[in-house]
Amino acid sequence: MFELQQLQQLIAVAEAGTLSAAAEKLHISQPALSRSMQKLEEHFEAPLFTRTKNRMTLNETGLCAVQYANHVIETATAFDDAVHEKIRSLTRIAVGASAPGPLWLLMPQVSREAPGMMLSSVISENEASLESGLKNETYRLVLISHPIEDTHILCKRYTSEQLFVSFPIGHPLASRKGILAKDLAGLTMLLFSNLGVWTHFHERMTDTHFILQTDRQAFSDLVTASVLPSFVTNISKNNQNPQKDRIIVPLLDADAKKTFYLCARRNDKALFDHIRPRL
Amino acid sequence: MFELQQLQQLIAVAEAGTLSAAAEKLHISQPALSRSMQKLEEHFEAPLFTRTKNRMTLNETGLCAVQYANHVIETATAFDDAVHEKIRSLTRIAVGASAPGPLWLLMPQVSREAPGMMLSSVISENEASLESGLKNETYRLVLISHPIEDTHILCKRYTSEQLFVSFPIGHPLASRKGILAKDLAGLTMLLFSNLGVWTHFHERMTDTHFILQTDRQAFSDLVTASVLPSFVTNISKNNQNPQKDRIIVPLLDADAKKTFYLCARRNDKALFDHIRPRL
DNA sequence: GATTCTTACGTCCCACGTAATAATA
DNA sequence: TATTATTACGTGGGACGTAAGAATC
């Protein structure tokens, strides 16, 4: 049987036009490539090139072979990719979530339940894409703010997250027992980006000015260093170093509290069951 | 890149169940196969088998790989076949004819015009299949008893063939200047098989008894040795050793004379034009 | 003379088979 | 004990690169 390498070389020669150029592209010597093509011709017991003394051109057979060779290489590459992807899917747990907070709770638990596995996570405000990502095996676990009704999907309440506003001591609103989003009109606030579905909450607050920070550490430093109010949740309060000199006031709007659901495919029941809700 | 051979080996292992059995089937040693599979695993940087001390079983990745590997091998085999077929079609001239006589005239001409090419010929009474065979490149040349009207097909009168009956000297009908098929009613005749469209002629002669001979030499010997009448044509007269002690009488039926047309695809004009009609 | 392909030649690596090892049924 | 897979080891063939040759532009 011929070798895949020979087909790749044949294609390279067809693309480069000359043996020399193809050999250079393939990082082998011209004689090596010459012999390799001769071997291929021996295999087929027919010439693939018309040869003059210092020129080699694909003949009709060769052109036909190049066409098919491309197809073979494509198939072989697809094989390679598919197996690698299979391996990745068996050694990696991808988690999708529509908010960072619940994800902070979940990831350590997954890590504990699946030691040695590579973990990756994605935050997206698009819960429909997370749901379809779960179904098409892009994600093994998904956290979203509504349950999925589907016989192939396992789903349970995982945790709830409540928004607060963090004011510096002495801020006019710091003394309130609770406030509404509209009370923040006219203020300038610090906002961490990539907040998943929470994005929808502050998108409605068109009268408040937000300074967006994409870097988590920079955001944290800014909060401590400035007197600007920022958002906090019941989860982020516990997961980050506590902010001194700050008063936390709950947001009373209906959509300032969300329940997140953990979802997995039915065939992943073992992993799903091992992960305890954090209510 | 991995090797096609490794994929074939992987498939063999999957089918055989054990390395030993697969190695035997592949005519290589167990250690060689063991190492080859290890190489494949190295390539993927992941195990394809679950191993106990004296047992090797495909794991989920391996099973997945086997599936895809089958597809790759199929594609590679198709490539091999396609190129070989291309080579065959470029080194062989297949001729289809609806009668042996005109073919006897044609083949030496083709041989002279295409030296070094492999020649093959088929005789068929089904002229429609010959025509479609020409169009789908099964045949490069076709001889049939009617012209083809098609812009993609070249067609010209090639030769005519006239039937005679060969009688031994002294036969009651031997003195006739000409006879009709119905005059042969009640006689027993020698008939060579595989006569293409001429088959239709003697199929109508239900009152004549035919002794069929499939072997050309045996037929010839029988004609010389027996006193039975047989068919002859203007072409076979010249192409075979002349029959001593025989009188030849022309058949006067309308369909005892046929004109044969040489047909080729338009893109084959060079070959077509080089072949002179034999009228 | 520069380019291009082929042939010749020497080298080195790799894949093989044999043999030995280890574990299991 | 027979079967099965892996490891160790020595060998031979093959593919490579360098160098030389031949022909063309």
Side-chain angles (χ1 to χ4, degrees), chain A residues 174-210:
Chain A
S175 56
R176 303 273 286 273
K177 285 275 184 275
I179 56 173
L180 293 169
K182 65 179 168 64
D183 299 334
L184 301 168
L187 293 185
T188 294
M189 295 186 68
L190 288 170
L191 190 66
F192 184 60
S193 68
N194 210 10
L195 292 174
V197 285
W198 292 123
T199 307
H200 302 309
F201 185 85
H202 62 255
E203 269 174 359
R204 284 193 298 101
M205 301 167 64
T206 49
D207 293 333
T208 306
H209 182 233
F210 293 107

Side-chain angles (χ1 to χ4, degrees), chain A residues 88-103:
Chain A
R88 281 243 311 282
S89 78
L90 288 174
T91 55
R92 198 187 101 203
I93 296 181
V95 181
S98 62
L103 195 56

